[in-house]
Amino acid sequence: MQMIYLIENQIVFNPEDNSLSLPSDTESKITVSNPARRILSLLIEQHGIVVERETFFKKVWDDYGLTASNNNLNHCISKLRKVVSTLGYTGEFIITVPKVGFIIKKETDITAQFELNVAQERTEPAAEETSALPEITPSDLPHNEPQATPAPLHEPVEQSETLTDTEKINYKYPFIFTTFLLFSFAVWGLYTLHGVMTDPKARLQVSKIGDCDLYSTAPVSMSRKQDFIQLAQNFILKNKMTCTPGNIFVFQSEQFTTPINTGSVRDFMAQCSTNDTHKINICISYYANDRTTHDKF
């Protein structure tokens, strides 16, 4: 599960892979640098509020051990404007506030959404589907359907004489037992699948932090549940986040999902408010990323 943003119903911004694209055209995807992605995320987070240049310098470069400058900032802003223009957006997207900073106007329609792409076993590859509603309602989750291997049936030996009644009864028992076993496995499999599909969100809820439910982007095993909660709590404390009743936290950490220690850390948390029907109104995204692979123009 990953957070994406729909800008003016025309452009999809995916912070996870640093890309902007058209909603219905995957071939239109354009990738930007990490600083440009952080600038756009910050502008969206402060939607309708002027973000000062000093704030960009700190949150886009200084916090990642990089060198900030006006030239770097202006270059990234220019790149973002060029990308949205290339994708066909004709409006004024990022506004310059002279001697202060930049802003995305409050009138600009920006919608936060969750996207869950989960592969299922099929005879042909399934196309990725994007949820059209900004709520945690994954349409597919990985599940393993039990596949029963029927016990081999022994072919009756050809006989020149007709089988007796006793031999006929003894021959039917393995067939009846195998049929019953297959039927039982099928019922159990359908019951398990039904449970997953009727309430997939329940598998993603891990715990509570204060009054806020904590969700993962993928099911967490009982053996690693406490590690996941500890990572989430550390992230909340580090970013000075506070739990507001009715909010939820959605967390994912490279430390938790990657079995090999690569020496790098990339964590993500979304703090989302919900309405009376438990649908998400708006989310604020927080990132921790010390990777420098794309930290170039």
Side-chain angles (χ1 to χ4, degrees):
M1 180 168 55
Q2 59 191 28
M3 179 73 70
I4 64 173
Y5 298 92
L6 183 60
I7 302 170
E8 290 287 355
N9 291 317
Q10 296 183 37
I11 298 175
V12 175
F13 170 47
N14 186 344
E16 185 68 19
D17 62 4
N18 294 23
S19 72
L20 292 96
S21 62
L22 299 177
S24 58
D25 184 4
T26 57
E27 298 297 326
S28 65
K29 181 180 292 187
I30 301 175
T31 302
V32 298
S33 66
N34 275 338
R37 182 257 300 165
R38 289 193 284 266
I39 287 172
L40 183 52
S41 296
L42 190 55
L43 285 168
I44 291 175
E45 179 183 328
Q46 301 297 322
H47 185 195
I49 300 174
V50 176
V51 181
E52 298 181 352
R53 286 179 174 268
E54 288 73 17
T55 302
F56 285 118
F57 294 157
K58 180 180 185 305
K59 292 186 176 293
V60 176
W61 283 278
D62 295 348
D63 287 353
Y64 296 87
L66 303 172
T67 302
S69 70
N70 279 309
N71 286 338
N72 291 347
L73 176 57
N74 292 336
H75 180 91
C76 290
I77 293 292
S78 176
K79 175 67 175 178
L80 288 170
R81 286 170 172 165
K82 183 177 180 180
V83 169
V84 297
S85 176
T86 301
L87 293 172
Y89 184 74
T90 57
E92 194 174 12
F93 183 48
I94 300 176
I95 310 299
T96 301
V97 181
K99 298 182 180 181
V100 181
F102 300 92
I103 184 176
I104 294 178
K105 294 187 297 185
K106 187 176 181 180
E107 293 78 12
T108 303
D109 183 24
I110 300 178
T111 305
Q113 300 180 351
F114 281 111
E115 180 183 67
L116 284 84
N117 298 321
V118 181
Q120 289 183 312
E121 292 183 358
R122 298 178 182 173
T123 55
E124 296 180 357
E128 293 183 353
E129 298 179 357
T130 303
S131 173
L133 296 176
E135 56 183 310
I136 307 177
T137 55
S139 60
D140 293 301
L141 285 173
H143 56 275
N144 296 323
E145 293 185 34
Q147 297 181 348
T149 302
L153 299 179
H154 297 285
E155 295 291 334
V157 180
E158 292 184 4
Q159 299 178 356
S160 58
E161 296 181 1
T162 305
L163 296 176
T164 64
D165 292 339
T166 302
E167 289 173 332
K168 291 179 180 179
I169 293 173
N170 291 337
Y171 174 71
K172 289 180 180 178
Y173 282 156
F175 177 79
I176 295 173
F177 176 77
T178 302
T179 303
F180 175 79
L181 186 63
L182 286 171
F183 178 78
S184 299
F185 271 118
V187 171
W188 179 62
L190 289 173
Y191 176 80
T192 302
L193 178 61
H194 180 267
V196 172
M197 297 306 293
T198 52
D199 190 15
K201 186 172 64 176
R203 294 186 61 191
L204 300 178
Q205 185 174 359
V206 178
S207 181
K208 272 185 173 289
I209 296 182
D211 293 328
C212 297
D213 290 330
L214 173 64
Y215 289 86
S216 171
T217 58
V220 176
S221 64
M222 290 298 296
S223 62
R224 303 199 65 195
K225 181 176 180 180
Q226 193 56 45
D227 294 338
F228 182 87
I229 296 172
Q230 187 62 52
L231 285 172
Q233 289 176 332
N234 292 343
F235 188 94
I236 290 172
L237 290 174
K238 182 177 179 180
N239 290 276
K240 298 180 180 179
M241 300 166 63
T242 57
C243 170
T244 303
N247 284 6
I248 65 171
F249 292 122
V250 182
F251 180 63
Q252 68 179 19
S253 171
E254 190 173 59
Q255 300 177 74
F256 186 78
T257 57
T258 304
I260 300 175
N261 184 4
T262 62
S264 65
V265 175
R266 183 165 68 173
D267 295 339
F268 161 79
M269 178 172 283
Q271 183 174 6
C272 307
S273 62
T274 59
N275 57 24
D276 294 338
T277 61
H278 305 291
K279 291 185 178 180
I280 292 176
N281 287 326
I282 191 170
C283 295
I284 299 177
S285 302
Y286 298 82
Y287 298 91
N289 184 354
D290 70 354
R291 293 184 175 182
T292 57
T293 304
H294 293 92
D295 285 324
K296 300 178 181 177
F297 291 126

